[in-house]
Amino acid sequence: MKYQIAILVENKPGVLTHVSGLISRRAFNIETINAGYTEEDDVTRINIVVNASDNMELNKVIHQMAKLIDVIKIVNISELPSISRELILVKVKADSPGVRADIVNIANIFRAHIVDVGHQNVVIELTGEQDKLAALVDMLGCYEVLEIARTGPVALSRGITPIKNM
Amino acid sequence: MRINGARAVIESLKNEDVEIVFGYPGGAVLTLYDEIYKTKFPHILTKHEQGAVHAADGYARATGKIGVCIATSGPGATNLITGIATANIDSIPLVCITGQVATPFIGRDSFQEADVCGITSPITKHNYLVRDVRELSRVLKEAFFIAGTGRPGPVVIDIAKDVFAAEVDYEYPAEVNLRGYSGKYIGNEKDLDKAVKLLKQAEKPLVFVGGGVVSSGTYISFREFINMLGIPVTSTLMGLGCVEPEQKGNLGMAGMHGSYAANMAIMQCDLLIGIGVRFDDRVTGIMKEFAPKAKIIQFDIDYAEVNKNVVSYLSVIGDLRWSLPLLCKKTKIYAEKIKKNSAQWIDYVIKMHKNNPFSYKKSDNHIMAQEIIEKTAELTENDTIAVTDVGQHQMWAAQFFKVYGPRHFITSGGLGTMGYGLPAAMGAKIGCPDKAVVLFTGDGSIMMNCQEMATLADYDINVKIIVIHNHVLGMVTQWQRMFYGKRYSQSILNSKADIVKIAQAMGIKGIRIDEKTDLIKILKQTLAQQGPALIDVNVPDTEDVLPMVPGGKRLDQMIMESEAANK
Ligand SMILES: Cc1ncc(C[n+]2csc(CCOP(=O)(O)OP(=O)(O)O)c2C)c(N)n1
């Protein structure tokens, strides 16, 4: 099972390594991980997706992480009503007018944006849920994909309560 | 007060009531050592940083205070690693202060640079790299708070060389403010009520006590609970001393080398109350078959311990200082009922233990290791602190030394660190100068940090070292004998090194005992003398620690002495 977890941590050097080190040491596979600023200057939010066999296994790692002094809050977002998004940038080879038109079409259907065009390539940007991104990548598979960059999903719970107050 | 960083460290140590530090100087901490010189701060110079950290650990285990050690950057700091890991797995509070290269040199592979925070992060409760002198007092305050509260553990403070020299307006913070850590764990009273209910229903209850009761200082409540209900108790290696040796229903240690009755009782009980135990694999036998008939209740301060190794039916999470007194209070009214329900079981278990005590083959010619431990126990006061190294002698000490109170049996449980004993014994004696300290060690283990005998001599630290000399890496040969077709690969020592002469060369008394008739006399004499001494006793090389639960077996599949004799 894949689980999405949000971790609020002190914005200090080394914390991300601490968290990721602990997860991998306990033999969990981190699918994606990203960290970014939050509404508070000194708090970083780490978003991770991990693979765990079940809730009990997941809770083990959550409890281990909760022990880290720099971890302020940790929440299993998969348990909550939430919105999850991931950003992808795809660079595709487009050296003929026909291919270029195809790709623009595909981008439109996915409501993606063409964010850069060159003589030989285009770059497409798309934000959405993971399966939508996967569908785009699948479609573009018929063309020559030169490069992909993805953020990994980030998620927020629905409703008025921020996870720091949960 | 305008002072430099080094002085700020010293002032902070004073503010934390630190009595003494163990350490070893070097380039990155010279400014700190200069302040130690100027302020005459009590310091023990060990011969190796590993000695310093184990000594701080032994001091902490014996006193319940926080142990402090100091090392320089790079090799000094990395020499602490084994000791930090040892303390971490046994939840021992330490503050380790290491020097780091000056801030402009950090991250450049500078001379004597090592990434101490990176290296120690998996084996510490927390760690800090201090690059700014203005953070120093806050970090020290936090470090002591974190090390000593909640589930205790080691904290490393890595301080850049220039921070020691930089000036600061020193003020020690009055309190700690950490968003992610409170150090207080008050649990849910409803869980306790559920525990009491289960107790009321139980017919075959068993208590399983561990190091958590030692570190939380709750053995008085714990004993009150046991006495009140008369429930049989078994202990982990780390929990030895929580139960009085003469307590009715005390089954001694459980697990791989636990008593027959303890292991059988675990397999047969219908309620197992684990208090401050983490169900380490050395104690459970095959985990899935641990206490198969029992509902397990787990009392622990640490959420992460719940269902980590064995699945519990109920967990009471919270500080034992909260839960144990409340448990006593809540069970009191049902005490008679609980006793009555389990009367048959209690008799059965006590009889089982009486018929199957820890025992060994006696010999007319040879001095037996177990005998040395038994005799030493008889010849010493009840408040003697026994320290061990790791191996067969450690298990025999756990089986045969009578431990009268918590903090009186000091051993490396979780990591099983050979070389731990001598420096830990030194730290224990420094922390408890009024108590006798005896170290049981093996001819393998003693060599791992034998240089610290010189520290005993230099400071005249009255530790009595008893080397149980079987000329082999005993625990290794036992496994090779049992599971590797008696192929004694690299485990026969028969070393040419003369341990008695090493002791003498290091400046302490050394005596050898070969003859059985000399044992008591020399033991008695040596234990009564002032000052450090080493006794080297020759014992047979083919003894096994029994009972033994082989790896991958259930606790009731022990190999017993009688069976081993027939193999
Ligand atoms: C640092 C370290 N290295 C290796 C081991 C593995 N080990 C466990 S017991 C043992 C033998 C100990 O021999 P000795 O100290 O002579 O004690 P004995 O078992 O003979 O009583 C060894 C090598 C260990 N526990 N620690």
Side-chain angles (χ1 to χ4, degrees):
Chain A
M1 265 288 276
K2 275 188 205 175
Y3 295 91
Q4 179 137 29
I5 294 167
I7 311 168
L8 299 179
V9 299
E10 300 279 352
N11 183 7
K12 283 187 195 157
V15 179
L16 184 63
T17 350
H18 240 94
V19 169
S20 57
L22 194 147
I23 302 174
S24 50
R25 231 175 14 253
R26 301 272 164 181
F28 278 84
N29 189 19
I30 302 177
E31 186 107 346
T32 66
I33 184 163
N34 67 60
Y37 299 104
T38 65
E39 71 284 0
E40 287 171 49
D41 288 345
D42 49 0
V43 176
T44 300
R45 184 179 177 116
I46 301 175
N47 305 286
I48 60 171
V49 176
V50 288
N51 256 320
S53 48
D54 53 38
N55 246 320
M56 197 157 131
E57 285 298 306
L58 179 77
N59 280 332
K60 282 186 194 177
V61 87
I62 287 185
H63 286 143
Q64 290 290 348
M65 274 193 279
K67 278 165 64 172
L68 296 176
I69 308 289
D70 286 330
V71 168
I72 301 165
K73 187 91 192 187
I74 165 161
V75 171
N76 175 6
I77 296 223
S78 332
E79 284 181 337
L80 306 168
S82 62
I83 321 115
S84 170
R85 290 289 181 275
E86 178 172 355
L87 170 72
I88 188 172
L89 293 170
V90 193
K91 188 185 287 177
V92 191
K93 191 160 176 189
D95 46 5
S96 74
V99 170
R100 198 182 305 267
D102 278 3
I103 291 173
V104 169
N105 261 336
I106 292 171
N108 281 338
I109 293 164
F110 279 90
R111 295 186 201 288
H113 300 288
I114 307 280
V115 289
D116 187 45
V117 185
H119 292 294
Q120 312 229 25
N121 72 81
V122 293
V123 175
I124 303 170
E125 173 205 311
L126 178 63
T127 314
E129 289 193 28
Q130 264 197 318
D131 45 353
K132 184 171 173 188
L133 269 54
L136 174 72
V137 172
D138 182 49
M139 280 310 292
L140 293 175
C142 309
Y143 307 91
E144 194 176 341
V145 173
L146 298 166
E147 195 173 0
I148 288 181
R150 300 174 70 151
T151 59
V154 299
L156 279 185
S157 62
R158 291 185 190 273
I160 190 161
T161 321
I163 64 161
K164 65 184 170 201
N165 297 338
M166 282 179 184
Chain B
M1 189 168 39
R2 188 97 186 143
I3 52 177
N4 70 10
R7 185 59 185 269
V9 172
I10 301 289
E11 291 304 318
S12 306
L13 295 180
K14 287 184 189 164
N15 279 320
E16 293 292 340
D17 296 325
V18 174
E19 304 167 318
I20 197 161
V21 296
F22 303 86
Y24 207 96
V29 285
L30 279 182
T31 316
L32 180 59
Y33 272 87
D34 197 39
E35 290 300 321
I36 287 175
Y37 183 92
K38 287 185 202 156
T39 55
K40 300 195 170 64
F41 197 89
H43 179 281
I44 300 281
L45 173 67
T46 55
K47 305 299 164 197
H48 188 302
E49 287 88 353
Q50 193 185 349
V53 62
H54 288 325
D57 171 312
Y59 172 92
R61 291 188 206 228
T63 61
K65 299 176 195 162
I66 296 172
V68 182
C69 64
I70 301 175
T72 190
S73 68
T78 54
N79 273 347
L80 298 179
I81 300 303
T82 304
I84 296 173
T86 304
N88 188 54
I89 199 158
D90 286 343
S91 305
I92 305 304
L94 293 186
V95 169
C96 307
I97 298 171
T98 54
Q100 182 52 277
V101 299
T103 39
F105 293 93
I106 293 177
R108 297 164 176 259
D109 297 332
S110 308
F111 177 63
Q112 295 198 323
E113 182 185 2
D115 172 12
V116 170
C117 281
I119 294 170
T120 62
S121 98
I123 52 167
T124 46
K125 187 167 171 189
H126 195 50
N127 63 24
Y128 294 92
L129 168 60
V130 184
R131 297 157 167 268
D132 184 338
V133 68
R134 286 167 300 181
E135 290 183 0
L136 207 46
S137 58
R138 175 186 59 81
V139 164
L140 276 146
K141 177 82 189 176
E142 284 179 11
F144 277 90
F145 179 73
I146 292 168
T149 52
R151 179 179 185 164
V155 178
V156 167
I157 312 175
D158 195 31
I159 305 173
K161 181 173 178 170
D162 47 334
V163 169
F164 285 119
E167 298 247 310
V168 67
D169 286 319
Y170 178 78
E171 200 183 334
Y172 201 58
E175 50 189 64
V176 187
N177 212 330
L178 291 161
R179 276 184 291 196
Y181 180 82
S182 72
K184 290 199 191 74
Y185 301 89
I186 301 300
N188 187 344
E189 217 176 303
K190 287 207 186 97
D191 293 335
L192 263 171
D193 293 330
K194 284 186 208 154
V196 175
K197 198 167 154 210
L198 288 172
L199 248 172
K200 263 161 51 189
Q201 294 161 350
E203 286 173 2
K204 298 176 177 178
L206 178 69
V207 169
F208 184 32
V209 61
V213 171
V214 178
S215 60
S216 59
T218 49
Y219 76 102
I220 296 189
S221 295
F222 172 76
R223 286 180 179 181
E224 190 192 333
F225 176 68
I226 298 301
N227 286 333
M228 186 169 69
L229 303 180
I231 304 189
V233 198
T234 174
S235 161
T236 66
L237 183 62
M238 297 301 293
L240 289 176
C242 290
V243 204
E244 294 254 32
E246 278 87 22
Q247 165 83 29
K248 231 175 119 191
N250 176 6
L251 310 179
M253 186 171 69
M256 182 175 275
H257 296 298
S259 76
Y260 176 83
N263 287 345
M264 295 309 274
I266 289 174
M267 295 303 287
Q268 294 169 11
C269 65
D270 64 0
L271 182 71
L272 183 87
I273 308 174
I275 306 182
V277 289
R278 60 188 180 89
F279 299 102
D280 170 78
D281 53 284
R282 282 279 138 142
V283 106
T284 57
I286 184 168
M287 259 175 218
K288 279 199 220 88
E289 306 272 355
F290 178 78
K293 298 183 176 145
K295 289 178 174 156
I296 297 177
I297 309 180
Q298 198 173 352
F299 283 75
D300 207 291
I301 195 167
D302 186 353
Y303 258 108
E305 287 303 333
V306 179
N307 300 334
K308 187 177 82 179
N309 294 333
V310 302
V311 178
S312 57
Y313 181 83
L314 170 70
S315 51
V316 183
I317 299 304
D319 197 321
L320 294 178
R321 282 166 277 217
W322 159 79
S323 56
L324 279 183
L326 210 51
L327 179 68
C328 284
K329 204 175 113 196
K330 285 177 187 273
T331 29
K332 206 167 234 154
I333 27 177
Y334 307 112
E336 287 315 310
K337 180 179 162 61
I338 294 169
K339 263 190 188 162
K340 215 171 104 202
N341 284 353
S342 51
Q344 245 186 335
W345 159 252
I346 296 175
D347 287 346
Y348 164 76
V349 172
I350 290 175
K351 201 180 282 166
M352 179 159 65
H353 192 45
K354 207 168 154 208
N355 294 337
N356 300 276
F358 288 120
S359 64
Y360 60 95
K361 264 199 318 278
K362 309 246 162 40
S363 156
D364 288 337
N365 311 319
H366 299 291
I367 304 175
M368 306 303 281
Q370 299 93 323
E371 189 178 2
I372 302 170
I373 291 159
E374 259 181 355
K375 295 296 177 220
T376 310
E378 283 166 22
L379 292 172
T380 48
E381 303 283 339
N382 287 359
D383 72 348
T384 296
I385 299 177
V387 185
T388 82
D389 254 306
V390 172
Q392 291 183 313
H393 64 273
Q394 177 189 32
M395 291 299 121
W396 284 321
Q399 294 177 338
F400 291 96
F401 197 88
K402 284 194 174 161
V403 191
Y404 281 86
R407 308 198 176 282
H408 285 70
F409 190 80
I410 294 180
T411 194
S412 167
L415 204 67
T417 308
M418 285 172 75
Y420 170 79
L422 176 57
M426 177 164 96
K429 181 67 191 178
I430 288 167
C432 303
D434 298 337
K435 291 181 187 159
V437 175
V438 177
L439 166 67
F440 296 108
T441 180
D443 45 332
S445 291
I446 190 65
M447 292 302 276
M448 281 216 181
N449 274 314
C450 64
Q451 75 284 355
E452 299 307 335
M453 281 191 246
T455 314
L456 290 184
D458 291 350
Y459 292 91
D460 194 23
I461 302 165
N462 188 0
V463 169
K464 300 297 193 286
I465 305 167
I466 299 177
V467 183
I468 297 185
H469 200 141
N470 54 6
H471 308 276
V472 289
L473 295 174
M475 193 55 98
V476 174
T477 55
Q478 174 166 346
W479 282 63
Q480 289 170 333
R481 189 158 46 245
M482 291 180 159
F483 312 117
Y484 293 90
K486 299 191 182 176
R487 292 180 296 280
Y488 296 117
S489 175
Q490 307 301 318
S491 57
I492 310 290
L493 295 175
N494 284 330
S495 170
K496 294 199 178 64
D498 183 331
I499 294 175
V500 169
K501 281 192 187 149
I502 292 175
Q504 291 164 350
M506 296 266 182
I508 69 176
K509 262 195 209 97
I511 310 126
R512 175 160 300 115
I513 306 182
D514 292 313
E515 297 301 322
K516 196 166 168 84
T517 44
D518 288 342
L519 177 69
I520 306 257
K521 193 181 74 201
I522 296 182
L523 263 182
K524 214 183 220 166
Q525 267 173 9
T526 315
L527 290 169
Q529 280 164 0
Q530 264 307 310
L534 176 145
I535 307 175
D536 185 29
V537 197
N538 274 305
V539 299
D541 58 3
T542 51
E543 279 301 294
D544 290 327
V545 183
L546 295 169
M548 177 176 187
V549 181
K553 296 281 186 190
R554 292 192 315 261
L555 287 182
D556 57 1
Q557 295 173 321
M558 285 165 277
I559 301 172
M560 301 297 292
E561 202 199 328
S562 48
E563 298 162 39
N566 299 331
K567 61 176 190 218

